[in-house]
Amino acid sequence: MAQTEYIIIRAQEDGVNVIGLTRGNDTKFHHTEKLDKGEVMIAQFTEHTSAMKIRGKAEVHSAFGIVESESKK
């Protein structure tokens, strides 16, 4: 990959899950992180990570702007 994409995830509640999904014929979970309120994670799309799933209330900052996910409750 010539350029890699980063996103920034800021948890707005305890227990936000960030799940990395694989590339290829079968999409699978390959990594998970749990964030508590106020914690920030910088994540990168790679040759292995094609998508990320975020469960819980969080702000997601990317080159496309800011998106807020809703609470899992």
Side-chain angles (χ1 to χ4, degrees):
M1 298 180 103
Q3 266 189 339
T4 54
E5 298 271 342
Y6 290 89
I7 62 171
I8 299 169
I9 303 143
R10 186 169 76 79
Q12 295 182 333
E13 68 182 4
D14 288 342
V16 172
N17 288 300
V18 180
I19 304 163
L21 303 167
T22 61
R23 289 187 189 278
N25 295 333
D26 298 323
T27 301
K28 299 178 183 174
F29 296 135
H30 75 86
H31 187 82
T32 61
E33 290 288 334
K34 192 172 208 177
L35 303 176
D36 286 330
K37 186 174 182 174
E39 290 185 323
V40 173
M41 179 178 176
I42 300 171
Q44 179 181 26
F45 292 98
T46 67
E47 65 274 4
H48 301 292
T49 304
S50 64
M52 291 180 207
K53 181 176 183 176
I54 298 166
R55 258 191 209 145
K57 188 173 175 82
E59 282 183 357
V60 181
H61 299 254
S62 74
F64 300 102
I66 301 170
V67 175
E68 288 191 23
S69 63
E70 293 185 11
S71 180
K72 60 184 176 181
K73 296 172 182 153

